[in-house]
Amino acid sequence: MSKLEDIEAPVPGGNAQMEWVSDVMAEMIRRLDLKYVAMNPGASYRGLHDSLVNYLGNRNPQMLLTLHEEHAVSIAHGYARVTEQPMGCILHSNVGLMHGLMAIFNAWVNRAPIVMFGATGPVDADIRRPWVDWVHTAQDQGALLRNYTKWDDQPASAPAVCEALLRAFQIACTAPKGPTYVCLDAGLQETRLTEPFELPDPSRFSPGPSPAPSQETLEQMARLLTSARRPLLLVGRVSRSKDDWDRRVCLAEALGAKVISELRAGAGFPTEHPLHVYPPRYTPFEGTLDLMRQADVILALDSFDLGGWIKLMQVGGRPKATIIHCSVDSYVHGGWGKDHLALPAVDLRVLAEPEPAVRLLLPLVDKNMTGKPKTWDGVTLQRPAPAMPESGDGTRAITNHDLAHCLAQLREGCKFTFTRVPIGWASDQYHFREPLDYLGTDGGGGLGSAAGMAVGVGLALRGTDRIAVTIIGDGDFTQGATALWTAAHYRIPVLVIVANNRSNFNDEIHQGQVAKERGRPVENKWIGMRLSDPDIDLAALARAQGVEAAGPIKQVSDLRPALEKAISVVESGRPYFLDVVVEPGYASLLMVRASGHGASA
Ligand SMILES: Cc1ncc(C[n+]2csc(CCOP(=O)(O)OP(=O)(O)O)c2C)c(N)n1
Ligand SMILES: [Mg+2]
């Protein structure tokens, strides 16, 4: 079977001379070490396309064809979740960009670095072809995404292109990371260079190390934490590095701090560690809120929604804790979106990423804690026992609980990276033991990204001992199903499991709640929600794209053999799709609004 690198290899004989401005663009992309550019083609960047294929030979970067621009961005987003580095994607003129927008929004909310390239019909109206070049030219393409990207530009010369690309890379990779966009004028791409062109050295434009807190701030943090009797760590948006992971564990152990992590972020702490009392959830629930209420000092490590959590914590009593929040996220907060979430009232705001802060804090804590007892004195916390499986024989229907339980049994001997878990995930059944065990959510809550992100994760994990596994809802999958073709075409190993409740079930819950509040028939909550009659043949959607598939798997005794087969196919380097019909119902508790109204995703 051919390797990704051998697929779509151009015939040799390309012109090795740098002759066109699009050759400069391509060469600069290579120098930024963007290994892949996911794309869907379009004439607005035919100059660049030619340079990537015939000038660079479709290597470093290699183009990855997708069936929809949303997938191009989602693949880059998934790749960034693993590597914390950008890959590229190219979006054709205003129309391709419009297709990619929701995925860009997701990446923005996840603070995922992506360097995105766009193109516009010639800015010089005089050289536009009739109709299409006019329709596909917008006065200000960046306006479509400026509210949810870190930076955008439309350079007008070869030197300006180099500067724009260097800046796009630098800004994307500077915390808080995020997508950046460079729109390449079709007219400029197809302009012939009049003299030899020297490209800048990217090493002089590197993003630089993440800034550390001042010594004074670190000492203040250490003082507060080491004098706490009931310290608590909230682990939010943290790195994928194992060294950072180990340091977080050391910090919690040195302090005797309890730990809460969340499903919105990638794995940040070993969930079976005795200090990590409750399984991670998407939203806080009574157990975690009580823990927060009992804590006297809380260190939040870039919590997504610290303000929201504090609000919930305050229901039924004032918070007692002194709160320290370590985050640089406010540097990208703007006025358009509210993805900054509620403003948290904190006692010490530390404007640093958690990683340098924890690294430098640890020796101070170790020194101060020598000889001190490390207990949550007077508080006994019972770690909840994992829920037991449903009763019944092997013919009974499958639950989210069974799915998580079965994957937990099968993980021995191989390493799964969960690229997503469904809203109803039974997180008490499956422990995260390493930073790459789980990568978090789509960010912006925009459905349709999960399959594409999974392909990007599979791409980033190729050649490692890890298997990319995504477990997604049928609603999410059906919106993004055509992302699978890219995995089939480029032989990207990834396992896509749909936890298929044949419904947009999350919204059934909403409709049920509204009906209940209004004294209306709750029985009608399924209307406009159910994805049945006819049932969608999800496996056929995968097979149609060249991905081996099975399902619908409907009874619990069939689940393990189906998963074993799936894993063996992915281990052999191919993608696989599995449709598992699950009972509607969410294993984890849903969130309660501060106002007291129930709310889910
Ligand atoms: C693009 C987009 N459209 C609609 C929604 C609203 N929405 C949120 S969850 C959900 C249901 C998703 O269904 P599925 O993926 O099957 O998960 P389930 O709730 O059934 O577990 C919908 C429609 C959304 N978040 N994004
Ligand atoms: Mg569903």
Side-chain angles (χ1 to χ4, degrees):
M1 172 174 294
S2 26
K3 292 205 310 271
L4 192 162
E5 290 73 16
D6 303 331
I7 297 162
E8 298 179 341
V11 295
N15 185 350
Q17 298 297 321
M18 186 180 280
E19 246 186 302
W20 303 91
V21 175
S22 64
D23 294 341
V24 174
M25 294 168 178
E27 181 63 35
M28 200 63 231
I29 294 172
R30 171 174 280 179
R31 290 189 186 198
L32 292 175
D33 203 23
L34 300 177
K35 296 197 170 54
Y36 305 102
V37 281
M39 40 67 76
N40 193 262
S44 63
Y45 69 90
R46 63 185 195 176
L48 176 64
H49 195 129
D50 171 71
S51 296
L52 291 171
V53 174
N54 289 318
Y55 179 67
L56 292 187
N58 200 21
R59 280 283 173 288
N60 299 319
Q62 180 173 6
M63 287 196 291
L64 299 180
L65 178 59
T66 66
L67 302 188
H68 194 295
E69 286 81 359
E70 200 167 276
H71 306 328
V73 180
S74 295
I75 287 172
H77 184 177
Y79 183 90
R81 300 290 283 165
V82 177
T83 62
E84 302 182 311
Q85 288 297 313
M87 61 173 260
C89 62
I90 317 179
L91 308 163
H92 159 58
S93 76
N94 49 5
V95 282
L97 177 57
M98 286 186 248
H99 257 190
L101 289 179
M102 193 207 69
I104 296 172
F105 176 70
N106 275 343
W108 161 258
V109 179
N110 254 345
R111 313 297 183 231
I114 305 177
V115 180
M116 307 183 294
F117 306 103
T120 172
V123 170
D124 180 356
D126 199 38
I127 57 169
R128 278 181 211 148
R129 294 171 295 158
W131 196 75
V132 69
D133 275 351
W134 289 82
V135 171
H136 286 173
T137 301
Q139 183 70 16
D140 178 11
Q141 237 165 247
L144 287 172
L145 49 64
R146 195 161 297 135
N147 287 316
Y148 41 94
T149 42
K150 280 190 78 183
W151 182 78
D152 71 278
D153 195 16
Q154 187 173 301
S157 68
V161 163
C162 293
E163 176 163 338
L165 293 195
L166 287 164
R167 197 189 302 272
F169 185 87
Q170 191 183 64
I171 292 178
C173 296
T174 301
K177 296 177 178 176
T180 54
Y181 174 76
V182 181
C183 185
L184 301 167
D185 170 15
L188 180 63
Q189 292 174 49
E190 297 185 31
T191 300
R192 201 183 268 276
L193 293 169
T194 50
E195 50 192 46
F197 186 85
E198 203 176 317
L199 280 96
D201 172 6
S203 67
R204 304 197 68 198
F205 301 89
S206 91
S210 189
S214 69
Q215 194 58 28
E216 197 186 338
T217 302
L218 286 164
E219 277 166 17
Q220 207 180 343
M221 290 169 83
R223 241 190 338 269
L224 287 170
L225 285 162
T226 55
S227 52
R229 289 184 314 141
R230 293 187 301 279
L232 174 67
L233 298 192
L234 298 182
V235 180
R237 198 162 12 208
V238 292
S239 86
R240 294 303 97 218
S241 141
K242 180 69 167 63
D243 288 346
D244 291 332
W245 170 281
D246 291 341
R247 279 191 277 267
R248 279 189 293 278
V249 174
C250 288
L251 180 67
E253 287 175 351
L255 291 165
K258 304 291 181 204
V259 182
I260 298 172
S261 63
E262 50 178 314
L263 282 181
R264 289 211 186 279
F269 201 89
T271 55
E272 61 197 332
H273 192 289
L275 293 169
H276 192 285
V277 186
Y278 295 108
R281 300 252 176 103
Y282 282 110
T283 46
F285 67 106
E286 277 317 309
T288 41
L289 290 171
D290 272 347
L291 209 51
M292 287 174 72
R293 286 179 194 128
Q294 291 183 70
D296 59 356
V297 178
I298 296 176
L299 171 62
L301 299 176
D302 205 3
S303 292
F304 272 80
D305 191 11
L306 185 60
W309 285 39
I310 292 173
K311 225 170 164 182
L312 289 171
M313 178 176 89
Q314 283 171 331
V315 175
R318 282 181 55 74
K320 298 187 192 78
T322 297
I323 299 175
I324 309 168
H325 192 202
C326 213
S327 173
V328 289
D329 203 55
S330 54
Y331 289 149
V332 290
H333 294 171
W336 177 82
K338 303 300 169 201
D339 55 279
H340 44 55
L341 308 174
L343 185 65
V346 301
D347 302 278
L348 181 59
R349 207 164 155 242
V350 181
L351 283 167
E353 285 192 280
E355 287 67 32
V358 170
R359 182 163 36 86
L360 296 167
L361 181 64
L362 199 49
L364 301 184
V365 164
D366 277 338
K367 198 171 79 195
N368 288 10
M369 285 303 288
T370 314
K372 284 195 191 164
K374 299 179 229 171
T375 53
W376 263 48
D377 51 336
V379 180
T380 341
L381 283 163
Q382 201 72 42
R383 194 187 179 78
M388 295 300 286
E390 304 269 316
S391 55
D393 63 15
T395 61
R396 74 166 167 82
I398 300 165
T399 60
N400 270 310
H401 174 285
D402 295 320
L403 196 50
H405 185 72
C406 200
L407 282 163
Q409 289 178 330
L410 293 172
R411 77 187 299 179
E412 307 309 331
C414 56
K415 281 186 176 176
F416 298 142
T417 292
F418 287 163
T419 76
R420 187 81 61 81
V421 295
I423 306 169
W425 181 243
S427 53
D428 58 343
Q429 300 297 312
Y430 193 101
H431 284 295
F432 301 143
R433 295 173 180 152
E434 291 183 29
L436 283 175
D437 279 358
Y438 174 63
L439 299 178
T441 65
D442 51 32
L447 290 183
S449 63
M453 282 181 71
V455 175
V457 172
L459 174 70
L461 292 176
R462 258 172 8 107
T464 71
D465 60 348
R466 289 193 159 266
I467 299 179
V469 179
T470 197
I471 310 146
I472 57 182
D474 46 328
D476 195 326
F477 176 68
T478 45
Q479 288 204 34
T482 53
L484 292 190
W485 180 83
T486 302
H489 183 64
Y490 295 101
R491 283 61 161 173
I492 296 171
V494 55
L495 171 54
V496 176
I497 302 170
V498 170
N500 182 3
N501 51 20
R502 301 209 198 282
S503 177
N504 288 286
F505 184 70
N506 175 72
D507 287 87
E508 284 197 42
I509 295 184
H510 281 289
Q511 293 319 126
Q513 278 172 350
V514 172
K516 210 160 130 196
E517 266 171 37
R518 297 178 177 186
R520 294 173 180 174
V522 172
E523 302 87 300
N524 291 335
K525 65 179 185 171
W526 64 276
I527 294 171
M529 300 290 170
R530 294 276 163 93
L531 296 168
S532 57
D533 189 20
D535 289 343
I536 304 169
D537 187 346
L538 300 179
L541 288 177
R543 273 189 215 107
Q545 300 176 73
V547 173
E548 205 176 325
I553 307 296
K554 290 181 176 165
Q555 58 180 43
V556 73
S557 58
D558 293 337
L559 182 59
R560 188 180 170 121
L563 282 169
E564 281 172 342
K565 162 82 198 277
I567 292 162
S568 73
V569 172
V570 181
E571 278 180 328
S572 76
R574 285 174 290 145
Y576 193 86
F577 176 87
L578 191 61
D579 174 5
V580 178
V581 175
V582 295
E583 288 278 275
Y586 286 163
S588 53
L589 288 180
L590 297 171
M591 176 182 145
V592 178
R593 278 201 195 128
S595 65
H597 293 289
S600 46

mmCIF file of all heavy atoms in Angstrom, residues 286-320:
data_model
loop_
_atom_site.group_PDB
_atom_site.id
_atom_site.type_symbol
_atom_site.label_atom_id
_atom_site.label_comp_id
_atom_site.label_asym_id
_atom_site.label_seq_id
_atom_site.Cartn_x
_atom_site.Cartn_y
_atom_site.Cartn_z
ATOM 1 N N GLU A 286 -22.751 19.037 40.913
ATOM 2 C CA GLU A 286 -22.761 19.293 42.357
ATOM 3 C C GLU A 286 -21.455 18.866 43.036
ATOM 4 O O GLU A 286 -20.949 19.568 43.900
ATOM 5 C CB GLU A 286 -23.978 18.636 43.019
ATOM 6 C CG GLU A 286 -25.236 19.498 42.911
ATOM 7 C CD GLU A 286 -24.990 20.994 43.193
ATOM 8 O OE1 GLU A 286 -24.379 21.327 44.233
ATOM 9 O OE2 GLU A 286 -25.389 21.837 42.356
ATOM 10 N N GLY A 287 -20.886 17.713 42.636
ATOM 11 C CA GLY A 287 -19.656 17.228 43.270
ATOM 12 C C GLY A 287 -18.511 18.222 43.114
ATOM 13 O O GLY A 287 -17.871 18.617 44.096
ATOM 14 N N THR A 288 -18.285 18.654 41.879
ATOM 15 C CA THR A 288 -17.156 19.565 41.646
ATOM 16 C C THR A 288 -17.438 20.944 42.256
ATOM 17 O O THR A 288 -16.534 21.607 42.762
ATOM 18 C CB THR A 288 -16.865 19.695 40.139
ATOM 19 O OG1 THR A 288 -18.085 19.778 39.416
ATOM 20 C CG2 THR A 288 -16.067 18.524 39.629
ATOM 21 N N LEU A 289 -18.694 21.360 42.204
ATOM 22 C CA LEU A 289 -19.020 22.666 42.781
ATOM 23 C C LEU A 289 -18.815 22.646 44.296
ATOM 24 O O LEU A 289 -18.311 23.611 44.882
ATOM 25 C CB LEU A 289 -20.457 23.058 42.432
ATOM 26 C CG LEU A 289 -20.678 23.392 40.948
ATOM 27 C CD1 LEU A 289 -22.156 23.561 40.638
ATOM 28 C CD2 LEU A 289 -19.912 24.649 40.540
ATOM 29 N N ASP A 290 -19.172 21.544 44.935
ATOM 30 C CA ASP A 290 -18.957 21.430 46.381
ATOM 31 C C ASP A 290 -17.477 21.485 46.715
ATOM 32 O O ASP A 290 -17.074 22.138 47.673
ATOM 33 C CB ASP A 290 -19.544 20.106 46.897
ATOM 34 C CG ASP A 290 -21.007 20.281 47.255
ATOM 35 O OD1 ASP A 290 -21.460 21.435 47.330
ATOM 36 O OD2 ASP A 290 -21.696 19.250 47.427
ATOM 37 N N LEU A 291 -16.697 20.799 45.888
ATOM 38 C CA LEU A 291 -15.244 20.814 46.089
ATOM 39 C C LEU A 291 -14.733 22.257 46.015
ATOM 40 O O LEU A 291 -13.921 22.695 46.829
ATOM 41 C CB LEU A 291 -14.605 19.961 44.989
ATOM 42 C CG LEU A 291 -13.292 19.255 45.266
ATOM 43 C CD1 LEU A 291 -13.367 18.448 46.549
ATOM 44 C CD2 LEU A 291 -12.956 18.326 44.100
ATOM 45 N N MET A 292 -15.217 22.992 45.026
ATOM 46 C CA MET A 292 -14.802 24.389 44.876
ATOM 47 C C MET A 292 -15.251 25.219 46.093
ATOM 48 O O MET A 292 -14.524 26.104 46.551
ATOM 49 C CB MET A 292 -15.389 24.990 43.595
ATOM 50 C CG MET A 292 -14.721 24.472 42.334
ATOM 51 S SD MET A 292 -15.538 25.064 40.837
ATOM 52 C CE MET A 292 -15.078 26.789 40.814
ATOM 53 N N ARG A 293 -16.433 24.913 46.600
ATOM 54 C CA ARG A 293 -16.940 25.689 47.748
ATOM 55 C C ARG A 293 -16.120 25.407 49.006
ATOM 56 O O ARG A 293 -15.967 26.269 49.858
ATOM 57 C CB ARG A 293 -18.409 25.354 47.998
ATOM 58 C CG ARG A 293 -19.329 25.966 46.972
ATOM 59 C CD ARG A 293 -20.786 25.618 47.212
ATOM 60 N NE ARG A 293 -21.564 25.951 46.024
ATOM 61 C CZ ARG A 293 -22.384 25.116 45.400
ATOM 62 N NH1 ARG A 293 -22.597 23.902 45.855
ATOM 63 N NH2 ARG A 293 -23.050 25.514 44.319
ATOM 64 N N GLN A 294 -15.597 24.191 49.100
ATOM 65 C CA GLN A 294 -14.831 23.837 50.302
ATOM 66 C C GLN A 294 -13.382 24.284 50.221
ATOM 67 O O GLN A 294 -12.710 24.395 51.240
ATOM 68 C CB GLN A 294 -14.865 22.321 50.491
ATOM 69 C CG GLN A 294 -16.250 21.823 50.865
ATOM 70 C CD GLN A 294 -16.229 20.323 51.111
ATOM 71 O OE1 GLN A 294 -15.677 19.869 52.092
ATOM 72 N NE2 GLN A 294 -16.795 19.569 50.201
ATOM 73 N N ALA A 295 -12.887 24.543 49.026
ATOM 74 C CA ALA A 295 -11.478 24.929 48.867
ATOM 75 C C ALA A 295 -11.228 26.295 49.493
ATOM 76 O O ALA A 295 -12.113 27.147 49.501
ATOM 77 C CB ALA A 295 -11.133 24.966 47.389
ATOM 78 N N ASP A 296 -10.011 26.495 50.037
ATOM 79 C CA ASP A 296 -9.696 27.855 50.512
ATOM 80 C C ASP A 296 -8.788 28.608 49.543
ATOM 81 O O ASP A 296 -8.784 29.829 49.527
ATOM 82 C CB ASP A 296 -9.155 27.859 51.956
ATOM 83 C CG ASP A 296 -7.900 27.042 52.131
ATOM 84 O OD1 ASP A 296 -7.465 26.391 51.154
ATOM 85 O OD2 ASP A 296 -7.349 27.040 53.246
ATOM 86 N N VAL A 297 -8.026 27.883 48.710
ATOM 87 C CA VAL A 297 -7.270 28.552 47.636
ATOM 88 C C VAL A 297 -7.450 27.726 46.349
ATOM 89 O O VAL A 297 -7.256 26.509 46.356
ATOM 90 C CB VAL A 297 -5.765 28.685 47.969
ATOM 91 C CG1 VAL A 297 -5.020 29.326 46.804
ATOM 92 C CG2 VAL A 297 -5.561 29.511 49.237
ATOM 93 N N ILE A 298 -7.860 28.406 45.296
ATOM 94 C CA ILE A 298 -8.040 27.717 44.008
ATOM 95 C C ILE A 298 -7.021 28.266 43.020
ATOM 96 O O ILE A 298 -6.918 29.482 42.838
ATOM 97 C CB ILE A 298 -9.466 27.949 43.452
ATOM 98 C CG1 ILE A 298 -10.523 27.321 44.378
ATOM 99 C CG2 ILE A 298 -9.591 27.375 42.035
ATOM 100 C CD1 ILE A 298 -11.968 27.583 43.951
ATOM 101 N N LEU A 299 -6.259 27.369 42.413
ATOM 102 C CA LEU A 299 -5.367 27.777 41.322
ATOM 103 C C LEU A 299 -5.984 27.278 40.022
ATOM 104 O O LEU A 299 -6.052 26.066 39.785
ATOM 105 C CB LEU A 299 -3.963 27.166 41.509
ATOM 106 C CG LEU A 299 -3.007 27.355 40.319
ATOM 107 C CD1 LEU A 299 -2.729 28.835 40.047
ATOM 108 C CD2 LEU A 299 -1.685 26.616 40.566
ATOM 109 N N ALA A 300 -6.454 28.210 39.206
ATOM 110 C CA ALA A 300 -7.056 27.831 37.927
ATOM 111 C C ALA A 300 -5.995 27.950 36.843
ATOM 112 O O ALA A 300 -5.392 29.016 36.674
ATOM 113 C CB ALA A 300 -8.238 28.742 37.621
ATOM 114 N N LEU A 301 -5.757 26.852 36.150
ATOM 115 C CA LEU A 301 -4.755 26.834 35.073
ATOM 116 C C LEU A 301 -5.483 27.021 33.757
ATOM 117 O O LEU A 301 -5.967 26.070 33.162
ATOM 118 C CB LEU A 301 -3.964 25.528 35.107
ATOM 119 C CG LEU A 301 -3.171 25.272 36.392
ATOM 120 C CD1 LEU A 301 -2.499 23.906 36.364
ATOM 121 C CD2 LEU A 301 -2.126 26.369 36.626
ATOM 122 N N ASP A 302 -5.627 28.250 33.352
ATOM 123 C CA ASP A 302 -6.311 28.617 32.113
ATOM 124 C C ASP A 302 -7.648 27.881 31.963
ATOM 125 O O ASP A 302 -7.904 27.232 30.952
ATOM 126 C CB ASP A 302 -5.411 28.360 30.895
ATOM 127 C CG ASP A 302 -5.790 29.256 29.713
ATOM 128 O OD1 ASP A 302 -6.702 30.095 29.871
ATOM 129 O OD2 ASP A 302 -5.177 29.105 28.642
ATOM 130 N N SER A 303 -8.473 28.020 32.991
ATOM 131 C CA SER A 303 -9.820 27.419 32.923
ATOM 132 C C SER A 303 -10.597 28.104 31.823
ATOM 133 O O SER A 303 -10.550 29.326 31.690
ATOM 134 C CB SER A 303 -10.559 27.627 34.234
ATOM 135 O OG SER A 303 -9.954 26.874 35.238
ATOM 136 N N PHE A 304 -11.340 27.324 31.049
ATOM 137 C CA PHE A 304 -12.131 27.899 29.960
ATOM 138 C C PHE A 304 -13.129 28.915 30.499
ATOM 139 O O PHE A 304 -13.286 29.985 29.985
ATOM 140 C CB PHE A 304 -12.935 26.798 29.257
ATOM 141 C CG PHE A 304 -12.185 26.135 28.155
ATOM 142 C CD1 PHE A 304 -11.248 25.167 28.421
ATOM 143 C CD2 PHE A 304 -12.423 26.491 26.847
ATOM 144 C CE1 PHE A 304 -10.557 24.551 27.405
ATOM 145 C CE2 PHE A 304 -11.733 25.890 25.818
ATOM 146 C CZ PHE A 304 -10.799 24.905 26.098
ATOM 147 N N ASP A 305 -13.851 28.507 31.531
ATOM 148 C CA ASP A 305 -15.015 29.291 31.955
ATOM 149 C C ASP A 305 -14.979 29.523 33.452
ATOM 150 O O ASP A 305 -15.946 29.225 34.155
ATOM 151 C CB ASP A 305 -16.287 28.523 31.544
ATOM 152 C CG ASP A 305 -17.542 29.372 31.696
ATOM 153 O OD1 ASP A 305 -17.420 30.588 31.911
ATOM 154 O OD2 ASP A 305 -18.638 28.799 31.629
ATOM 155 N N LEU A 306 -13.873 30.062 33.919
ATOM 156 C CA LEU A 306 -13.745 30.251 35.363
ATOM 157 C C LEU A 306 -14.877 31.122 35.902
ATOM 158 O O LEU A 306 -15.457 30.825 36.949
ATOM 159 C CB LEU A 306 -12.378 30.871 35.685
ATOM 160 C CG LEU A 306 -12.057 31.013 37.159
ATOM 161 C CD1 LEU A 306 -12.070 29.667 37.863
ATOM 162 C CD2 LEU A 306 -10.704 31.698 37.356
ATOM 163 N N GLY A 307 -15.207 32.195 35.146
ATOM 164 C CA GLY A 307 -16.282 33.094 35.598
ATOM 165 C C GLY A 307 -17.594 32.347 35.747
ATOM 166 O O GLY A 307 -18.329 32.534 36.719
ATOM 167 N N GLY A 308 -17.893 31.486 34.792
ATOM 168 C CA GLY A 308 -19.140 30.711 34.826
ATOM 169 C C GLY A 308 -19.142 29.728 35.988
ATOM 170 O O GLY A 308 -20.152 29.553 36.673
ATOM 171 N N TRP A 309 -18.009 29.121 36.223
ATOM 172 C CA TRP A 309 -17.917 28.145 37.320
ATOM 173 C C TRP A 309 -18.084 28.856 38.675
ATOM 174 O O TRP A 309 -18.746 28.353 39.570
ATOM 175 C CB TRP A 309 -16.567 27.416 37.283
ATOM 176 C CG TRP A 309 -16.468 26.384 36.205
ATOM 177 C CD1 TRP A 309 -16.955 26.484 34.948
ATOM 178 C CD2 TRP A 309 -15.846 25.096 36.297
ATOM 179 N NE1 TRP A 309 -16.664 25.337 34.228
ATOM 180 C CE2 TRP A 309 -15.985 24.471 35.028
ATOM 181 C CE3 TRP A 309 -15.166 24.418 37.298
ATOM 182 C CZ2 TRP A 309 -15.479 23.194 34.757
ATOM 183 C CZ3 TRP A 309 -14.659 23.148 37.029
ATOM 184 C CH2 TRP A 309 -14.820 22.549 35.779
ATOM 185 N N ILE A 310 -17.459 30.034 38.784
ATOM 186 C CA ILE A 310 -17.567 30.767 40.054
ATOM 187 C C ILE A 310 -19.030 31.147 40.299
ATOM 188 O O ILE A 310 -19.544 31.032 41.405
ATOM 189 C CB ILE A 310 -16.662 32.029 40.039
ATOM 190 C CG1 ILE A 310 -15.189 31.617 40.024
ATOM 191 C CG2 ILE A 310 -16.944 32.914 41.234
ATOM 192 C CD1 ILE A 310 -14.215 32.780 39.835
ATOM 193 N N LYS A 311 -19.694 31.543 39.222
ATOM 194 C CA LYS A 311 -21.107 31.921 39.335
ATOM 195 C C LYS A 311 -21.931 30.743 39.871
ATOM 196 O O LYS A 311 -22.762 30.899 40.754
ATOM 197 C CB LYS A 311 -21.618 32.306 37.939
ATOM 198 C CG LYS A 311 -22.446 33.553 37.909
ATOM 199 C CD LYS A 311 -22.672 33.944 36.468
ATOM 200 C CE LYS A 311 -23.783 34.917 36.339
ATOM 201 N NZ LYS A 311 -24.031 35.253 34.943
ATOM 202 N N LEU A 312 -21.663 29.567 39.316
ATOM 203 C CA LEU A 312 -22.391 28.381 39.771
ATOM 204 C C LEU A 312 -22.022 28.036 41.211
ATOM 205 O O LEU A 312 -22.861 27.632 42.008
ATOM 206 C CB LEU A 312 -22.071 27.185 38.868
ATOM 207 C CG LEU A 312 -22.665 27.249 37.465
ATOM 208 C CD1 LEU A 312 -22.100 26.135 36.598
ATOM 209 C CD2 LEU A 312 -24.184 27.154 37.511
ATOM 210 N N MET A 313 -20.747 28.225 41.526
ATOM 211 C CA MET A 313 -20.271 27.912 42.869
ATOM 212 C C MET A 313 -20.961 28.796 43.908
ATOM 213 O O MET A 313 -21.218 28.375 45.025
ATOM 214 C CB MET A 313 -18.762 28.153 42.870
ATOM 215 C CG MET A 313 -18.064 27.940 44.159
ATOM 216 S SD MET A 313 -16.287 28.160 43.891
ATOM 217 C CE MET A 313 -16.096 29.889 44.180
ATOM 218 N N GLN A 314 -21.285 30.027 43.497
ATOM 219 C CA GLN A 314 -21.869 30.970 44.440
ATOM 220 C C GLN A 314 -23.328 30.661 44.756
ATOM 221 O O GLN A 314 -23.853 31.177 45.734
ATOM 222 C CB GLN A 314 -21.762 32.392 43.894
ATOM 223 C CG GLN A 314 -20.366 32.948 44.033
ATOM 224 C CD GLN A 314 -20.193 34.254 43.301
ATOM 225 O OE1 GLN A 314 -20.854 34.492 42.301
ATOM 226 N NE2 GLN A 314 -19.320 35.087 43.790
ATOM 227 N N VAL A 315 -23.965 29.823 43.911
ATOM 228 C CA VAL A 315 -25.354 29.469 44.197
ATOM 229 C C VAL A 315 -25.349 28.742 45.536
ATOM 230 O O VAL A 315 -24.614 27.773 45.713
ATOM 231 C CB VAL A 315 -25.934 28.552 43.084
ATOM 232 C CG1 VAL A 315 -27.332 28.089 43.452
ATOM 233 C CG2 VAL A 315 -25.934 29.269 41.752
ATOM 234 N N GLY A 316 -26.125 29.247 46.500
ATOM 235 C CA GLY A 316 -26.207 28.568 47.805
ATOM 236 C C GLY A 316 -25.070 28.952 48.739
ATOM 237 O O GLY A 316 -24.766 28.220 49.659
ATOM 238 N N GLY A 317 -24.420 30.032 48.538
ATOM 239 C CA GLY A 317 -23.391 30.475 49.502
ATOM 240 C C GLY A 317 -22.231 31.149 48.822
ATOM 241 O O GLY A 317 -21.913 30.841 47.693
ATOM 242 N N ARG A 318 -21.612 32.069 49.541
ATOM 243 C CA ARG A 318 -20.485 32.800 48.958
ATOM 244 C C ARG A 318 -19.248 31.898 48.868
ATOM 245 O O ARG A 318 -19.032 31.071 49.737
ATOM 246 C CB ARG A 318 -20.160 34.010 49.820
ATOM 247 C CG ARG A 318 -21.117 35.168 49.619
ATOM 248 C CD ARG A 318 -20.706 36.341 50.496
ATOM 249 N NE ARG A 318 -19.311 36.719 50.253
ATOM 250 C CZ ARG A 318 -18.882 37.361 49.181
ATOM 251 N NH1 ARG A 318 -19.740 37.709 48.241
ATOM 252 N NH2 ARG A 318 -17.619 37.683 49.045
ATOM 253 N N PRO A 319 -18.441 32.078 47.847
ATOM 254 C CA PRO A 319 -17.225 31.268 47.784
ATOM 255 C C PRO A 319 -16.245 31.706 48.865
ATOM 256 O O PRO A 319 -16.133 32.886 49.161
ATOM 257 C CB PRO A 319 -16.682 31.578 46.395
ATOM 258 C CG PRO A 319 -17.255 32.897 46.039
ATOM 259 C CD PRO A 319 -18.575 33.008 46.737
ATOM 260 N N LYS A 320 -15.558 30.735 49.407
ATOM 261 C CA LYS A 320 -14.612 31.076 50.480
ATOM 262 C C LYS A 320 -13.201 31.228 49.910
ATOM 263 O O LYS A 320 -12.348 31.818 50.511
ATOM 264 C CB LYS A 320 -14.588 29.956 51.514
ATOM 265 C CG LYS A 320 -15.914 29.717 52.203
ATOM 266 C CD LYS A 320 -15.729 28.699 53.335
ATOM 267 C CE LYS A 320 -17.059 28.193 53.873
ATOM 268 N NZ LYS A 320 -17.668 27.196 52.989
#
